[in-house]
Amino acid sequence: MLRSVFVGALTVGLLALGVPAYSQSEPVNDRVSAPSNAEPERFPGGRAGAEKSNCAEAAARHKAAGSTGLYGCITEVSETEARQRSAATGAAAVPLPVNDCTGNENGSWWALRLSQCQIDPDVRYTLRDKDGTIVATALFAIAQQMDLSATSLEWTETDQLVMLEASPKLPALTATWTTKCAATCSPATTAVFSKQPVKVGQLLKKTYKVADVPTKKYDFLDVDYTLNFDAAGATEITPPSTWDAEVRCDDQLSVGNTSGCVVPWFTPTLNISRAQYGSSADMINWAQINLSGHWGLRSSGKPLHRLQSASEQKKNRQAICGTGKFTPDPAVEQDSCDEFPFAGTYESGALNGVDHGNACAQVTSVRKNSTGDLPFDWQTVTPIGTVTGNEKCVRGHIPGPLNSYAGGAYGNFVQTARLADNDGFWLKVTSS
């Protein structure tokens, strides 16, 4: 049964690349590896915690209402101020909330493809009198973690709030935290904390589930958060702090027969193993280093992008490796036509002006050993003829099973990373 499952996964991968299947004597799952998320990625918009300051608005509201009592406002302490405060007070007596963002406590969202989190230790509540003079302050840390699934429209979120410190004159304080999701979410609103009393050292924590009710298109869901504090004896006019997160869900659009959700702004990484894919992996690495496109190479290139259309993939494959355009080399065991960038990407040479594989840089596999283990025997490639470095693709003589295994890895990656059409991804050639 397991063999059948992995053969199916490999077939999807081969179709995604336009790579023909080859027979092999070993289980396919030994060669098709899972994708890598690489390192967590910081949200490109920067810090995502509380508003920088709503004190001016709070003062205006207080004055407009004709109030003469106390009022509060919320600010986000700057990273410089937070460092100065930490240096002055030493190690915090109250520990910060813990989640997968521990170590990145800077108020930004950090993400992998199927999760995102943040820890912001710099949210300050300030109580003022009618003249704006500070009466008391409290410092809070908030933490969030959202765990998604590539095969489910439901995800889990855990939100945490802790008061780190407070001045002696701070009156009793309550916290209200509300999560609102886009129109297709269920529930649309979650009351995380409602007028919840909070004091120094007290950790408030809630785990809850949210699900997307699928539409016939990609659902880009804005998840909005509001946080407010109310002090005993103060006028309740404080503008709440607000921030948001983004999730993308789809029902059988990116991957057939399944539904799931991802972090859309995270760019995942496909690992292609030399130990598993031999000269097919080396051909990719050779192209990333020696050709000017540097396709998928994080350090110097741009991401590759998934091409979902099966018919377009077939056209790309035909242009580079089609009938009459490739002559197998009998010196290469089970020789096949391998190409990079993949036919299943928008970077395919066929979509960038190449109508015959002869226009690609040419390489061939080199036999290193004769053990019967293809990746070990056929580890590397060498160029054929002259290479300018400006070619828009590489075409190689690669043992068929290695070609197929690499195709299966990409197909598996498309599913586990839930890549939509034109979604970007990095590609890293690894040693193991």
Side-chain angles (χ1 to χ4, degrees):
M1 177 60 72
L2 286 177
R3 181 178 174 83
S4 298
V5 169
F6 279 97
V7 168
L10 176 60
T11 301
V12 171
L14 302 182
L15 292 175
L17 286 169
V19 177
Y22 293 83
S23 62
Q24 55 267 312
S25 59
E26 58 188 322
V28 175
N29 57 300
D30 287 348
R31 295 296 183 191
V32 179
S33 62
S36 167
N37 280 316
E39 295 298 320
E41 186 174 327
R42 184 175 182 174
F43 180 65
R47 298 185 67 163
E51 293 176 345
K52 290 297 181 184
S53 174
N54 62 15
C55 289
E57 184 179 349
R61 288 188 183 190
H62 191 259
K63 182 177 181 180
S67 301
T68 58
L70 304 174
Y71 70 95
C73 61
I74 303 170
T75 58
E76 183 178 62
V77 180
S78 70
E79 292 188 42
T80 298
E81 184 179 350
R83 285 195 294 269
Q84 292 173 343
R85 175 178 53 77
S86 297
T89 60
V94 177
L96 296 178
V98 174
N99 63 19
D100 286 352
C101 274
T102 296
N104 286 320
E105 297 94 345
N106 57 15
S108 289
W109 284 107
W110 290 83
L112 299 176
R113 188 63 169 179
L114 299 178
S115 67
Q116 56 185 330
C117 60
Q118 70 152 325
I119 299 176
D120 189 347
D122 303 325
V123 178
R124 181 169 59 192
Y125 173 81
T126 303
L127 189 65
R128 299 170 182 262
D129 65 18
K130 64 182 180 61
D131 298 319
T133 302
I134 295 176
V135 175
T137 64
L139 185 69
F140 292 87
I142 63 174
Q144 298 173 265
Q145 181 153 329
M146 187 184 297
D147 294 306
L148 309 170
S149 171
T151 56
S152 173
L153 294 172
E154 182 179 74
W155 66 88
T156 300
E157 177 156 341
T158 298
D159 297 332
Q160 302 178 71
L161 174 70
V162 62
M163 185 189 290
L164 299 175
E165 58 187 52
S167 57
K169 294 184 179 180
L170 183 74
L173 211 62
T174 63
T176 298
W177 179 324
T178 303
T179 299
K180 292 186 177 180
C181 197
T184 59
C185 289
S186 177
T189 301
T190 300
V192 182
F193 310 121
S194 183
K195 298 286 186 178
Q196 177 69 47
V198 59
K199 59 185 179 180
V200 173
Q202 178 186 6
L203 176 67
L204 305 182
K205 183 176 181 178
K206 183 170 182 176
T207 298
Y208 54 96
K209 293 185 181 296
V210 182
D212 179 42
V213 180
T215 64
K216 294 183 179 180
K217 60 181 181 180
Y218 286 94
D219 295 331
F220 286 86
L221 309 175
D222 287 323
V223 186
D224 297 314
Y225 305 95
T226 61
L227 174 64
N228 206 358
F229 300 105
D230 294 313
T235 305
E236 296 184 11
I237 59 174
T238 306
S241 293
T242 60
W243 67 100
D244 59 14
E246 187 177 32
V247 175
R248 188 188 74 197
C249 300
D250 75 272
D251 181 24
Q252 303 184 54
L253 295 178
S254 58
V255 179
N257 301 318
T258 67
S259 302
C261 303
V262 299
V263 179
W265 51 267
F266 177 79
T267 305
T269 298
L270 168 61
N271 282 343
I272 294 293
S273 162
R274 290 180 178 276
Q276 292 180 298
Y277 313 126
S279 57
S280 185
D282 191 58
M283 183 190 78
I284 293 171
N285 184 70
W286 180 90
Q288 287 183 320
I289 294 174
N290 292 287
L291 301 184
S292 59
H294 306 298
W295 305 282
L297 187 62
R298 184 185 287 268
S299 59
S300 54
K302 295 180 178 180
L304 292 154
H305 296 84
R306 183 199 177 190
L307 171 64
Q308 188 169 11
S309 170
S311 61
E312 290 301 314
Q313 293 174 27
K314 185 176 181 180
K315 290 178 183 178
N316 293 345
R317 181 70 180 172
Q318 177 63 34
I320 306 300
C321 291
T323 303
K325 295 186 176 182
F326 177 81
T327 302
D329 183 350
V332 176
E333 185 174 347
Q334 302 181 66
D335 189 21
S336 72
C337 180
D338 200 358
E339 64 181 292
F340 184 74
F342 304 139
T345 66
Y346 280 96
E347 288 69 29
S348 168
L351 293 179
N352 292 279
V354 178
D355 60 7
H356 195 296
N358 285 344
C360 301
Q362 308 294 311
V363 300
T364 187
S365 296
V366 177
R367 182 189 287 274
K368 297 289 186 181
N369 302 286
S370 299
T371 66
D373 183 344
L374 282 175
F376 183 68
D377 292 348
W378 300 87
Q379 298 178 16
T380 61
V381 298
T382 189
I384 302 173
T386 301
V387 175
T388 68
N390 294 318
E391 290 84 357
K392 296 180 179 180
C393 48
V394 61
R395 187 175 71 171
H397 292 267
I398 305 294
L402 300 182
N403 187 352
S404 294
Y405 295 148
Y410 178 39
N412 186 41
F413 175 73
V414 165
Q415 297 178 66
T416 55
R418 203 164 188 88
L419 292 181
D421 185 60
N422 207 34
D423 268 1
F425 65 96
W426 300 107
L427 192 157
K428 181 179 181 180
V429 176
T430 65
S431 59
S432 60

